[in-house]
Amino acid sequence: MEKATELKTPVTICIRDRHDNLVAHIRMKNAILGSVDLACQKARSSALFLAPSGAFAAFPGIELSNGIISNLQGGLPLITSDGVHVGSIGVSGAAAVEIDVEIAKVAADMIDSLLNKSCYSEK
């Protein structure tokens, strides 16, 4: 949210665990309503397939699988520095999908410190 605020871009952020369970869902004030479903679809895509959601544009029809997969950019897998897939993040609502990716990338790059702050441990 800090990056989105810095960019003056209200977005919706959806975070899912590695089993595709919803962990957090935040719609910033003034984020467009349509961004809610898109952020969660982007996160779902990256949780299920361990790839950026934009990569699915290369596979026409995949968006109809697994309860709607997004082929729009803005979903990223969350992988620790140890290589453990802990979940995914989806961001939607910016005027350009590249900005959605930029915001999501901040969280993906900080996943180790974010998990340490939350006292999360994967066993």
Side-chain angles (χ1 to χ4, degrees):
M1 283 180 42
E2 288 177 26
K3 185 64 173 180
T5 301
E6 175 188 318
L7 296 171
K8 296 182 172 125
T9 303
V11 296
T12 297
I13 301 167
C14 183
I15 299 176
R16 304 186 83 82
D17 70 14
R18 65 191 182 119
H19 302 290
D20 191 34
N21 296 305
L22 181 64
V23 173
H25 182 263
I26 302 155
R27 180 176 172 241
M28 296 175 68
K29 183 178 179 181
N30 297 321
I32 57 173
L33 188 56
S35 67
V36 173
D37 277 347
L38 284 175
C40 287
Q41 289 171 5
K42 291 174 182 184
R44 172 170 245 226
S45 304
S46 291
L48 292 174
F49 291 100
L50 195 57
S53 58
F56 302 117
F59 304 98
I62 196 168
E63 68 276 3
L64 302 175
S65 72
N66 292 287
I68 305 181
I69 298 300
S70 177
N71 60 8
L72 301 175
Q73 295 179 43
L76 297 174
L78 298 175
I79 302 170
T80 66
S81 60
D82 295 336
V84 177
H85 175 227
V86 295
S88 62
I89 183 168
V91 177
S92 185
V97 291
E98 293 81 12
I99 297 171
D100 288 341
V101 172
E102 181 180 352
I103 294 167
K105 191 161 175 13
V106 170
D109 290 345
M110 295 176 56
I111 192 61
D112 288 316
S113 64
L114 292 171
L115 290 176
N116 286 336
K117 285 181 185 178
S118 70
C119 300
Y120 175 86
S121 67
E122 183 74 34
K123 300 227 183 224

